[in-house]
Amino acid sequence: MTGLQQPLRQGRAPRGAAVLARAASLLLVLVLAVMPARATAQSTPEFATLIADRLFIDGATRLVAEGNVEALFGTTRLQARRVIYDRATGALSVEGPMVLNDGRDVIMLADAAELSDGMRRGLIRSARVVFDEQLQIAAATVERLDERFTEMTAVVASSCEICATRPTPLWEIRARRVVHDDEARQVYFENAQFRLFGLPVLYVPRLRVPDPRLERATGFLSPRFTVNTGHGIGLRTPYFIVLSQSRDLTLTPFVSNRGTRALELRYRQAFATGLLELGGTVARDPIRPGETRGMGYATGDFALGRNTRLSFNLIQPSDRSFLEDYGRDQPRLTSDITLERITRDTRQRLQLLQFRSLRLGDVNARLPNQVGQAVLEHRRDVPGLGGVAGLRLETEFLRRRLMLPGSEAMPGVNADRPRQMGRVSLDLDWRRDAVLPGGVLGAVGLHLGLDHFRLSDTGGAFGAQVSRVTPNVMAELRWPLLRSDSDGVRHVIEPVAQVIWGRDRMAGVPVEAGRMPEFDEGNLFSLNRFPGAEIREAGLRANLGATWTRHDPEGWTSTLTLGRIWRQRDLGQFSAATPLSGGSSNWLLAGSLDMMDGLSLSNRSHFTSDFKLERTAFELDWATETYSISTSYMRILANPFEERAATASEWSFEGTRQLSEYWTGRVGWRYDIAQSRAARALVGFNYQNECLRVEMGLERQFASATTPAARTSFGLNLDILGIGGNPSRARRMCSDL
């Protein structure tokens, strides 16, 4: 039995439904289009329009139409050489060649048809159906037994192009006899046979499948083959079970020649206000002999009304390597439950999170595994004074099982971190922008940050309670300059000067989320560059920079940003290895280039005062009709405070190339330049014509922080196109036509 797996409640035909289900059953349903759904009281065909070269009455009861006959039955159009209707017997005879188009991208061609009993019974000879210009189905005879059952004989179906020089399609389905039950919407096959390149590969003596109108049905989905170091040769065979219109269950057994026995489960349910999905895997394998391994997950998203949403994403594996062993490589896992409400000027969020690291060097007992957070944000215009005022109230609680001693301490920042920390923060800010004489844009702003910390099990590194007040005053000037050349090129240069005053005094607090501050063109002109509120940027400082943008009429654009931060006094808030440390930060140089032909370049680099490169990130993407390239390079210095023990330097590459009309090759790698070793490599090929898609790839994952041993895997996927929700690609014309 073949299953059709659909998105719950609505959606198109499923990708990967089995071949036999869709092929022959399409024809059976289309046959009904030959017969109008209703007949008159005298069993007269309801021709909306009947056109012919000759139309005459033969005797008392026979109506004859000859020569280029065209009849319309609502949305169904029938074309034939000759049509004879006998009112006395209710018989309708159609002499071909006949063409039937039901108005839904379905075309039937046949030699002749004999219909009777008010169109409830009939026989169609040598029928051929083309569904959506993709699937072709042929049958020697199609007989309508009654209003419920239709029988077909000698059925052949395929979505492959068939030409005089290529009479054998890549794949086809043959069946001796097929019966369609219109009431139950089921199709029954006898002696069904699936062939590849003309050779039989699968034989099923009796088979029951749903007809195409039944969007959801229980049955098998397309299998997947894998070959890898851990499992050997493996096979996944999903089985889809319809529980109701809004619920389904998928069971996927996974077996391999090395002894892996696993079962994957996925349960989905649709509600009027959201979706729920539960799943997991239970396995015993040779990777960890004698152990029962597994994982479970739950996801959901619900609209609760009044602009409020509840969502959750929970995942829990049995061990560090399980997800990678079963094709889900994730170095860190984040589970969350979030309740959020967003209106025009207000945002409210309540969130519970759990973190778990799968990296070999991380000790989960020392990570803040449990985090709770509540946030209220509100903004509004200020009457009289002008500008926009904002309020942010945030509470956060985190807990770890063990206290984590720090590896590096800085003035005002204690690197030790306690087992538990609770924080309440209130941010009040106001900003007003104005246009000054000469086109200069000016802005002033005020900010006040209030924080209160409650700490437990600190080991003497912190007090039990810490409070902090952080005021800031900001003034900013921007002067956008525009120039247009005679050739249509436009240049926009915008120098920016921003001065911020903040208190120099800092309170010693633990640092959690703020240990890895970024410095880029997005936060160059910001009050605070720390990602978390445990630590706030302080002191008198100036953010200076300029941006140049060039717009070319030929369709390409380039941008360049240069900036730096100067401080009146170095407060030691940033560790020495970061580009933000010292009395003045590193120089930030960032640029991008976007071309009409699909080429895009971007680079962000940090230079010291003597122009020594410390950090850089480069990315190139280029996509055309025949190939695509994506490559990147990054280099970051070691920083113990950010828990980076060694300098990181890596080059990655992904590329595809269309080798011919049907073949596409792909190659990729990730190379660790700092350690002079490969981290990942892959090579693969895809084949796709109008009716078949084959994907194969070989991947080598070298030993890393998350993988103690190297792994090699080979994947092979085969999809039949033109049926089961897999649309076929455009057909080429037969060269011999």
Side-chain angles (χ1 to χ4, degrees):
M1 190 184 304
T2 301
L4 304 180
Q5 181 185 12
Q6 291 281 30
L8 295 176
R9 300 182 65 85
Q10 60 182 0
R12 67 184 180 89
R15 182 180 185 273
V19 175
L20 297 176
R22 304 287 282 181
S25 59
L26 280 171
L27 177 58
L28 299 175
V29 176
L30 297 176
V31 169
L32 304 180
V34 178
M35 312 166 204
R38 297 177 292 117
T40 63
Q42 296 81 16
S43 299
T44 303
E46 294 184 351
F47 297 108
T49 303
L50 179 62
I51 302 173
D53 293 341
R54 295 179 60 221
L55 184 65
F56 60 91
I57 303 289
D58 183 11
T61 61
R62 296 211 324 164
L63 174 66
V64 180
E66 293 180 340
N68 299 314
V69 179
E70 187 170 337
L72 301 179
F73 309 85
T75 61
T76 302
R77 180 186 298 268
L78 171 66
Q79 296 173 294
R81 184 178 61 83
R82 193 166 188 256
V83 174
I84 302 173
Y85 174 67
D86 191 330
R87 182 171 181 176
T89 62
L92 180 68
S93 176
V94 182
E95 298 179 9
M98 58 173 283
V99 179
L100 180 70
N101 190 327
D102 77 340
R104 294 171 296 180
D105 297 324
V106 179
I107 300 175
M108 175 183 288
L109 300 91
D111 291 343
E114 300 289 341
L115 307 175
S116 62
D117 194 14
M119 311 301 167
R120 290 183 290 271
R121 301 173 63 86
L123 178 67
I124 301 175
R125 292 185 293 274
S126 298
R128 178 171 174 260
V129 177
V130 180
F131 179 75
D132 197 21
E133 297 184 356
Q134 299 184 49
L135 183 64
Q136 304 177 55
I137 306 175
T141 61
V142 179
E143 184 176 2
R144 180 72 165 172
L145 303 177
D146 53 35
E147 292 183 338
R148 178 173 178 177
F149 295 101
T150 303
E151 179 180 322
M152 300 167 51
T153 61
V155 175
V156 180
S158 178
S159 62
C160 300
E161 189 65 73
I162 301 175
C163 301
T165 57
R166 300 187 303 274
T168 302
L170 285 179
W171 66 264
E172 60 183 308
I173 305 110
R174 294 176 178 266
R176 185 179 64 82
R177 180 174 177 267
V178 178
V179 177
H180 173 239
D181 186 338
D182 183 64
E183 181 178 314
R185 296 189 177 183
Q186 298 290 334
V187 182
Y188 301 87
F189 292 85
E190 291 184 6
N191 299 329
Q193 188 182 91
F194 178 65
R195 297 187 177 189
L196 281 175
F197 305 101
L199 300 176
V201 297
L202 178 65
Y203 171 76
V204 182
R206 293 187 180 276
L207 183 67
R208 178 178 61 87
V209 299
D211 79 16
R213 298 172 301 171
L214 190 59
E215 294 184 343
R216 299 167 53 76
T218 298
F220 285 101
L221 306 178
S222 297
R224 291 292 183 265
F225 296 92
T226 59
V227 180
N228 58 48
T229 304
H231 302 288
I233 302 175
L235 173 65
R236 285 181 169 87
T237 54
Y239 187 75
F240 181 70
I241 304 173
V242 176
L243 302 177
S244 69
Q245 183 180 1
S246 60
R247 297 181 298 133
D248 61 51
L249 175 66
T250 303
L251 305 177
T252 306
F254 174 45
V255 296
S256 76
N257 67 325
R258 293 191 177 177
T260 298
R261 299 294 183 268
L263 179 63
E264 302 174 10
L265 301 94
R266 186 190 68 175
Y267 171 82
R268 300 187 306 171
Q269 183 169 355
F271 300 86
T273 58
L275 294 171
L276 170 68
E277 182 174 327
L278 306 174
T281 304
V282 179
R284 294 182 70 87
D285 54 47
I287 301 175
R288 292 197 174 190
E291 295 185 21
T292 299
R293 312 171 66 196
M295 58 85 66
Y297 72 90
T299 61
D301 190 3
F302 297 90
L304 304 183
R306 299 180 60 85
N307 300 313
T308 303
R309 299 198 69 86
L310 171 66
S311 62
F312 54 87
N313 180 22
L314 312 175
I315 183 170
Q316 188 69 32
S318 61
D319 54 78
R320 290 179 183 266
S321 63
F322 181 84
L323 294 179
E324 187 172 16
D325 293 339
Y326 287 83
R328 302 185 182 186
D329 188 11
Q330 294 176 269
R332 289 189 174 92
L333 302 178
T334 301
S335 298
D336 73 275
I337 302 175
T338 303
L339 182 65
E340 189 171 44
R341 181 174 185 266
I342 299 177
T343 60
R344 180 181 181 275
D345 297 318
T346 304
R347 175 173 176 252
Q348 304 169 56
R349 185 183 69 191
L350 178 63
Q351 192 170 42
L352 300 176
L353 302 105
Q354 183 185 51
F355 301 99
R356 179 171 180 178
S357 175
L358 304 182
R359 301 174 66 90
L360 298 179
D362 291 344
V363 180
N364 280 287
R366 296 185 181 276
L367 295 178
N369 301 99
Q370 301 169 355
V371 178
Q373 186 183 67
V375 177
L376 169 64
E377 294 179 287
H378 181 73
R379 67 175 186 178
R380 63 177 303 172
D381 297 331
V382 181
L385 184 61
V388 178
L391 175 148
R392 177 185 172 91
L393 177 63
E394 178 182 0
T395 63
E396 185 177 80
F397 173 83
L398 63 87
R399 180 181 181 274
R400 55 169 51 85
R401 294 194 296 272
L402 296 175
M403 179 181 174
L404 181 63
S407 56
E408 178 184 344
M410 298 182 299
V413 178
N414 194 323
D416 293 314
R417 285 171 279 177
R419 288 188 62 236
Q420 297 181 9
M421 182 183 75
R423 173 177 57 85
V424 179
S425 298
L426 175 64
D427 289 86
L428 303 172
D429 63 78
W430 170 79
R431 178 185 173 110
R432 180 177 179 180
D433 295 270
V435 179
L436 305 178
V440 177
L441 305 179
V444 293
L446 302 173
H447 173 264
L448 178 65
L450 305 173
D451 303 290
H452 180 72
F453 299 84
R454 294 180 65 91
L455 312 173
S456 64
D457 300 324
T458 64
F462 307 96
Q465 299 187 43
V466 179
S467 297
R468 179 179 64 194
V469 179
T470 308
N472 288 282
V473 180
M474 181 273 293
E476 179 183 288
L477 293 176
R478 296 174 178 263
W479 193 12
L481 305 172
L482 176 64
R483 171 187 168 183
S484 296
D485 297 340
S486 59
D487 57 359
V489 176
R490 292 184 295 116
H491 303 266
V492 180
I493 300 177
E494 186 180 49
V496 183
Q498 186 184 68
V499 178
I500 302 173
W501 173 86
R503 293 178 59 182
D504 290 350
R505 194 182 73 177
M506 299 174 295
V509 294
V511 180
E512 295 289 353
R515 298 180 69 84
M516 300 180 67
E518 295 292 338
F519 182 35
D520 53 41
E521 60 272 31
N523 65 7
L524 175 59
F525 305 102
S526 299
L527 290 174
N528 181 31
R529 272 161 280 268
F530 288 102
E534 298 94 347
I535 182 169
R536 298 176 184 266
E537 204 166 341
L540 178 63
R541 55 203 183 273
N543 304 324
L544 305 178
T547 300
W548 169 47
T549 304
R550 184 183 190 275
H551 300 276
D552 194 281
E554 295 184 358
W556 61 273
T557 302
S558 62
T559 61
L560 187 66
T561 301
L562 179 67
R564 198 179 193 186
I565 303 168
W566 278 269
R567 300 183 180 87
Q568 181 188 37
R569 185 163 65 93
D570 181 16
L571 302 178
Q573 287 189 292
F574 301 94
S575 66
T578 68
L580 291 164
S581 63
S584 58
S585 71
N586 287 351
W587 285 99
L588 167 67
L589 180 63
S592 65
L593 175 66
D594 294 299
M595 307 287 289
M596 284 287 291
D597 60 356
L599 173 65
S600 65
L601 297 169
S602 63
N603 175 257
R604 182 184 302 118
S605 300
H606 297 137
F607 297 88
T608 63
S609 299
D610 55 357
F611 295 101
K612 178 183 177 182
L613 180 64
E614 288 199 342
R615 291 191 182 190
T616 187
F618 169 82
E619 183 172 353
L620 180 148
D621 296 287
W622 196 359
T624 68
E625 293 182 356
T626 58
Y627 64 86
S628 66
I629 295 174
S630 179
T631 183
S632 63
Y633 168 78
M634 71 89 182
R635 180 176 183 269
I636 306 177
L637 294 181
N639 188 343
F641 187 74
E642 295 181 356
E643 299 181 350
R644 188 182 303 106
T647 296
S649 179
E650 187 175 89
W651 174 36
S652 64
F653 178 88
E654 296 280 349
T656 63
R657 171 72 180 183
Q658 186 171 339
L659 305 176
S660 67
E661 181 181 0
Y662 302 121
W663 285 96
T664 302
R666 67 182 188 275
V667 64
W669 62 78
R670 195 171 72 248
Y671 186 79
D672 192 332
I673 299 176
Q675 299 186 26
S676 300
R677 64 178 180 85
R680 174 176 174 264
L682 69 90
V683 62
F685 295 93
N686 294 352
Y687 174 86
Q688 181 174 345
N689 63 5
E690 75 280 354
C691 64
L692 185 67
R693 178 171 57 237
V694 180
E695 299 176 356
M696 62 189 81
L698 179 65
E699 181 176 0
R700 175 72 170 177
Q701 191 80 29
F702 298 88
S704 65
T706 58
T707 307
R711 301 171 184 268
T712 302
S713 62
F714 173 79
L716 175 63
N717 296 334
L718 186 147
D719 288 316
I720 301 298
L721 303 183
I723 59 175
N726 280 333
S728 67
R729 59 184 289 181
R731 300 167 181 265
R732 70 175 187 177
M733 297 296 294
C734 288
S735 59
D736 53 313
L737 293 182

